[in-house]
Amino acid sequence: MSEKALIFGHKNPDTDSICSVLAYEALKKQLGENVEARRLGNLNKETEFVLNYFDVEAPKLLATVDPNAEGAENTERQKVILIDHNERIQSVDGLETAQITEVIDHHKFGEFSTFEPLMIRAEPVGCSSTILLTIYKENDLLPEKKMAGMMLSAIISDTLLFKSPTCTPRDVKAAEELAKIAGVDLEKYGMDMLIAGASFGDKSTKEIINMDMKEFEMGANKIAIAQVNTVNVAEILDQKEQYESTIQEQIESEGYDLFVFIITDILRSGSETIVLGKATDVFESAFDTKLDNNTAWLEGAVSRKKQFVPNLMEVSK
Ligand SMILES: [Mn+2]
């Protein structure tokens, strides 16, 4: 088995899944461990802004860890460290062939099993980087400037600058501390970063829907939940029909029972949703709402992890 462990976040990586991976790589290397940060997909606009701002290189793309798969880099069983996820469906292709040595996560656990003992660090905080700052300190270390910038950005992203219900006092404290090390004004940098991430530029509807899309198996249903943050919900709704046909295509090609597209308004703290599939009744009872022309505005709902997923799980039992 290769001695090097690859560290990565989930597919369709968000800022946490890139930046926490880089920060954990830096810490592990400081501790003399043989690791390499990788990513399981393209960078989104927000993460591009962050890496650019702090002049940090993106991790290399990783296609598979199955040594027998086409395009495999490894010839032996691969050691892996999962950050910001634990569900197989969100992880690297070929994960079942790999040895998971560590998991650092702040999400719910799905069905999770391994062949060997491992280190699991799961805490119900707003961001993986908040856990990482604790681990740095347990090792009597602090991240250097650029890595503090990475971790700060991950926290701002995951907590929507502390507006998300997933945000805990520990996240706020960690962000304040990291902003000092990174040498940025927290509020100003945070808003600039979120707005940079909320601009869709010339992306197609399909690219926008898939920027941050996760799959879940809930009861008998295969559910896709995509989320975008914006300061201009109307910009998306103006092309509602185009979004609907793109979603419908994905439902057919991937066999989803339900597709929830969440358009989160970061200034109004709520989300417009476009919901399609044969199990829309699951969504309606999860949120005690009636879809009007496939859409519903959900006041105060901004978190996939703490609001959308648990509500849908609850009615999928
Ligand atoms: Mn996260």
Side-chain angles (χ1 to χ4, degrees):
M1 167 145 32
S2 156
E3 277 318 296
K4 183 190 272 184
L6 301 181
I7 311 177
F8 46 82
H10 52 77
K11 280 183 174 162
N12 274 326
D14 60 3
T15 297
D16 189 16
S17 264
I18 298 292
C19 293
S20 290
V21 163
L22 289 165
Y24 200 46
E25 175 192 47
L27 173 62
K28 287 281 199 190
K29 284 189 168 165
Q30 254 182 292
L31 296 173
E33 293 184 40
N34 187 4
V35 295
E36 187 184 339
R38 301 298 290 265
R39 66 184 159 89
L40 302 188
N42 294 330
L43 302 178
N44 66 33
K45 272 240 157 58
E46 183 188 88
T47 314
E48 270 175 13
F49 172 91
V50 170
L51 295 179
N52 218 8
Y53 188 96
F54 288 101
D55 191 25
V56 171
E57 215 171 300
K60 253 173 58 190
L61 191 67
L62 176 64
T64 177
V65 293
D66 180 349
N68 296 316
E70 201 182 319
E73 303 170 29
N74 51 314
T75 51
E76 294 169 84
R77 199 162 170 236
Q78 181 64 54
K79 281 188 179 164
V80 298
I81 297 173
L82 312 188
I83 308 247
D84 198 36
H85 72 295
N86 66 77
E87 304 201 36
R88 197 168 293 275
I89 194 167
Q90 297 166 6
S91 197
V92 73
D93 289 353
L95 183 69
E96 64 285 354
T97 68
Q99 181 187 354
I100 304 172
T101 60
E102 291 183 40
V103 179
I104 299 175
D105 196 10
H106 67 127
H107 293 86
K108 76 176 181 72
F109 268 65
E111 277 162 47
F112 185 85
S113 70
T114 60
F115 297 112
E116 295 97 348
L118 76 162
M119 205 283 288
I120 295 189
R121 187 79 179 247
E123 298 184 48
V125 289
C127 178
S128 305
S129 273
T130 303
I131 306 172
L132 291 189
L133 183 60
T134 305
I135 300 178
Y136 264 91
K137 289 180 176 177
E138 287 166 359
N139 287 283
D140 294 318
L141 292 167
L142 279 176
E144 49 81 35
K145 189 174 177 191
K146 285 185 180 189
M147 287 307 132
M150 295 299 101
M151 294 163 72
L152 168 67
S153 304
I155 296 173
I156 292 167
S157 171
D158 268 14
T159 66
L160 278 179
L161 199 48
F162 315 133
K163 287 202 193 93
S164 168
T166 57
C167 185
T168 69
R170 256 179 76 194
D171 299 300
V172 179
K173 202 159 162 272
E176 286 168 350
E177 203 174 333
L178 291 162
K180 281 205 191 97
I181 304 173
V184 297
D185 179 283
L186 177 49
E187 286 293 324
K188 183 179 183 317
Y189 172 75
M191 257 303 154
D192 288 350
M193 189 197 109
L194 290 178
I195 288 170
S199 89
F200 302 119
D202 50 8
K203 282 200 159 65
S204 69
T205 52
K206 186 168 180 170
E207 285 169 326
I208 291 170
I209 285 170
N210 287 289
M211 272 173 18
D212 179 13
M213 198 270 281
K214 289 184 180 174
E215 295 180 351
F216 300 87
E217 263 146 28
M218 298 187 193
N221 290 326
K222 188 174 173 191
I223 300 182
I225 311 179
Q227 184 170 30
V228 293
N229 296 327
T230 181
V231 287
N232 187 2
V233 172
E235 183 190 4
I236 302 251
L237 288 184
D238 282 349
Q239 298 180 62
K240 177 166 166 279
E241 272 152 39
Q242 226 172 309
Y243 280 98
E244 285 173 343
S245 67
T246 308
I247 291 169
Q248 199 56 50
E249 274 167 31
Q250 266 175 246
I251 286 174
E252 277 154 33
S253 67
E254 304 298 320
Y256 297 129
D257 300 289
L258 180 66
F259 197 114
V260 181
F261 181 36
I262 308 166
I263 307 147
T264 297
D265 188 323
I266 53 181
L267 302 178
R268 279 201 296 163
S269 283
S271 298
E272 193 65 63
T273 53
I274 300 177
V275 185
L276 293 168
K278 61 177 188 280
T280 51
D281 57 314
V282 169
F283 179 87
E284 290 183 326
S285 59
F287 292 95
D288 194 19
T289 187
K290 268 262 164 282
L291 290 167
D292 177 15
N293 207 359
N294 306 325
T295 67
W297 166 260
L298 299 176
E299 185 70 32
V302 296
S303 170
R304 175 168 48 198
K305 181 190 294 121
K306 214 156 182 173
Q307 296 169 311
F308 287 91
V309 171
N311 280 25
L312 288 165
M313 296 265 293
E314 182 63 32
V315 297
S316 300
K317 273 187 220 159

